[in-house]
């Protein structure tokens, strides 16, 4: 098969992550996170975020998201998110299940970013009305589901509205590192300094095998999260294996190198696509994902040539392309050359 742009989770894990798991699997260690490695992860993430954080490792991004939301939202509450968000469209009914029935409320906004004014309006609707679902929390995705990245000002515009209404803010950071290198800011600036209470710190798409961290800045939520993680079956007995992945991910700038590569490959791909007649790029890619409309027949031609990407979910001739820490440069160049051949 030629290069695949299906998703960033089709790539396996970085070698140092696998190696770290092999090392961590030797000998005995206390279970359920009472091992030295797990304590080290908390220390490393506290250093990373320049803040004394609580950390709950889980094995999927969905678990990180829905557990975070469940700790900040009562069953009668509403969670405001973008209408394109993963929690609303791609996590089955897990948010409803884990919150005990809270309602996800999709807000519109260009480039899959929540429009602050629409958010404000929605939050102010029916406050205190016993018959109505009550505003309870806000969740934003960084990177967004269409490959755009909120600027720090855009994050603050959302969190300020949330804070005015005393609502906690969650960030779905499944592609946290890609967003961070795109903005060139610090992890602290993109999160707690911008008013975020909890982040789902994704790592699996960017090099780990199955290790995601719920990073808590607002520690009022921590006690509840601890009990909820166990109840959800996410308190892994061999936590040290998840921790070893996260330690490797945070060591020697692996997170940064991997994200920079994925973003650079997307920039190359996007620049190439601009030179292919008839290709229309939707939201310009800022990180490692882009949607575009292809001329009739091009998607089928490229698939027949052995390239892989998702198609069909977003309407005729619209495809999604995602690069990863493993995407080869030659693969990107070949893909563009093939697309051009189709138009000749
Ligand atoms: C924006 C976003 N959030 C969260 C996730 C986490 O999903 P998973 O449970 O598959 O790890 C994904 C994965 O596709 C995603 O794209």
């Amino acid at each position: 098969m030629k290069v695949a742009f299906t998703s960033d989770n089709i790539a396996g894990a970085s070698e140092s992550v696998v190696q770290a798991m092999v090392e961590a699997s030797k000998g005995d260690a206390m279970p359920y996170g009472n091992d030295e490695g797990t304590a080290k992860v908390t220390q490393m993430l506290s250093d990373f975020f320049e803040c004394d954080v609580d950390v709950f490792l889980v094995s999927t991004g969905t678990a990180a998201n829905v557990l975070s939301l469940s700790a900040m939202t009562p069953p009668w509450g509403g969670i405001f998110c973008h209408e394109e968000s993963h929690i609303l469209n791609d996590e089955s009914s897990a948010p409803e299940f884990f919150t005990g029935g809270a309602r996800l409320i999709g807000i519109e906004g260009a480039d899959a970013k929540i429009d602050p004014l629409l958010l404000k309006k929605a939050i102010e609707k029916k406050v205190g009305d016993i018959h109505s679902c009550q505003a309870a929390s806000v969740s934003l995705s960084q990177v967004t589901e269409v490959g755009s990245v909120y600027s720090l000002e855009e994050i603050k515009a959302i969190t300020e509205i949330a804070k005015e209404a005393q609502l906690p803010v969650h960030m779905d950071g499944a592609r946290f590192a890609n967003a961070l290198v795109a903005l060139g800011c610090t992890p602290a600036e993109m999160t707690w300094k911008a008013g975020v209470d909890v982040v789902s710190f994704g790592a699996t798409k960017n090099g780990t095998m199955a290790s995601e961290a719920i990073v808590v800045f607002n520690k009022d939520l921590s006690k509840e999260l601890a009990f909820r993680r166990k109840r959800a079956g996410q308190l892994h007995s061999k936590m040290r294996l998840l921790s070893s992945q996260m330690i490797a991910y945070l060591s020697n700038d692996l997170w940064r190198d991997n994200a920079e590569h994925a973003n650079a490959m997307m920039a190359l791909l996007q620049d190439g696509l601009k030179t292919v007649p008839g290709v229309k790029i939707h939201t310009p890619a800022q990180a490692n994902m882009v949607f575009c409309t292809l001329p009739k027949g091009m998607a089928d031609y490229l698939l027949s040539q052995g390239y892989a990407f998702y198609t069909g979910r977003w309407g005729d001739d619209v495809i999604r392309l995602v690069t990863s820490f493993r995407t080869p440069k030659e693969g990107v160049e070949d893909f563009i050359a093939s697309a051009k051949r189709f138009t000749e």
Side-chain angles (χ1 to χ4, degrees):
M1 189 172 73
K2 294 205 175 132
V3 67
F5 298 105
T6 320
S7 183
D8 34 11
N9 54 21
I10 60 163
S14 286
E15 263 172 52
S16 63
V17 168
V18 177
Q19 201 48 46
M21 282 181 78
V22 171
E23 287 305 314
S25 64
K26 291 178 184 164
D28 299 335
M30 289 301 282
Y32 302 112
N34 295 313
D35 60 291
E36 284 176 10
T38 303
K40 186 170 174 183
V41 168
T42 303
Q43 189 51 56
M44 288 178 92
L45 282 169
S46 293
D47 294 344
F48 184 78
F49 282 101
E50 302 174 74
C51 174
D52 182 20
V53 297
D54 284 336
V55 175
F56 300 88
L57 291 179
V58 293
S59 51
T60 70
T62 298
N65 283 345
V66 300
L67 284 172
S68 301
L69 295 172
S70 72
M72 50 171 64
T73 317
W76 41 265
I79 301 164
F80 297 96
C81 55
H82 193 272
E83 58 181 3
E84 299 284 345
S85 66
H86 198 266
I87 58 170
L88 186 55
N89 300 295
D90 297 291
E91 297 186 0
S92 182
S93 52
E96 291 84 345
F97 181 69
F98 280 88
T99 57
R103 183 176 299 162
L104 291 167
I105 302 167
I107 307 288
E108 290 176 23
D111 301 330
K113 296 178 185 174
I114 296 170
D115 181 313
L117 289 178
L118 296 179
L119 174 68
K120 191 168 165 54
K121 263 192 191 163
I123 287 176
E124 286 170 355
K125 229 171 165 180
K126 299 197 175 174
V127 174
D129 179 352
I130 201 76
H131 301 285
S132 190
C133 174
Q134 293 296 295
S137 56
V138 176
S139 178
L140 58 96
S141 304
Q142 181 75 318
V143 175
T144 73
E145 284 72 9
V146 300
S148 57
V149 176
Y150 285 91
S151 68
L152 297 185
E153 292 66 37
E154 286 170 332
I155 297 173
K156 283 180 204 150
I158 307 264
T159 60
E160 272 163 23
I161 289 165
K163 299 290 156 193
E164 259 171 42
Q166 295 179 336
L167 308 185
V169 178
H170 164 253
M171 175 181 279
D172 175 354
R175 297 185 175 86
F176 190 92
N178 303 89
L180 201 60
V181 303
L183 289 185
C185 65
T186 68
E189 285 167 343
M190 202 169 85
T191 55
W192 62 273
K193 284 188 178 171
V196 172
D197 294 284
V198 175
V199 62
S200 298
F201 178 75
T204 305
K205 290 177 188 299
N206 194 39
T208 65
M209 190 196 93
S211 186
E212 309 264 308
I214 299 173
V215 179
V216 184
F217 308 111
N218 174 355
K219 292 193 171 193
D220 292 347
L221 302 166
S222 296
K223 185 175 170 193
E224 182 145 358
L225 262 165
F227 288 116
R228 282 183 176 274
R229 178 175 61 166
K230 175 64 186 179
R231 181 172 179 265
Q234 278 285 339
L235 180 62
H236 288 253
S237 66
K238 293 196 181 175
M239 190 67 81
R240 76 186 203 259
L241 298 181
L242 272 73
S243 302
S244 63
Q245 297 174 56
M246 194 55 80
I247 291 170
Y249 185 69
L250 295 167
S251 299
N252 304 317
D253 274 351
L254 178 66
W255 64 271
R256 188 196 301 277
D257 291 346
N258 281 359
E260 279 179 352
H261 178 80
N263 287 9
M265 289 305 100
M266 178 47 68
L268 187 68
L269 182 61
Q270 179 164 250
D271 285 348
L273 288 169
K274 286 179 189 161
T275 66
V276 181
V279 172
K280 181 177 165 285
I281 292 172
H282 295 197
T283 299
Q286 286 179 270
N288 66 325
M289 188 195 314
V290 77
F291 284 78
C292 48
T293 305
L294 302 185
K296 273 251 152 313
M298 185 186 276
D300 286 343
Y301 170 75
L302 291 168
L303 291 170
S304 75
Q305 296 299 298
Y307 298 103
F309 45 82
Y310 280 130
T311 176
R313 263 180 85 175
W314 309 278
D316 287 350
D317 302 310
V318 177
I319 67 164
R320 186 186 81 160
L321 300 168
V322 186
T323 51
S324 79
F325 65 96
R326 284 250 175 92
T327 304
K329 186 166 180 257
E330 315 76 61
V332 173
E333 289 162 351
D334 288 352
F335 180 79
I336 296 299
S338 288
K340 281 186 176 157
R341 251 194 319 276
F342 174 80
T343 63
E344 283 161 11

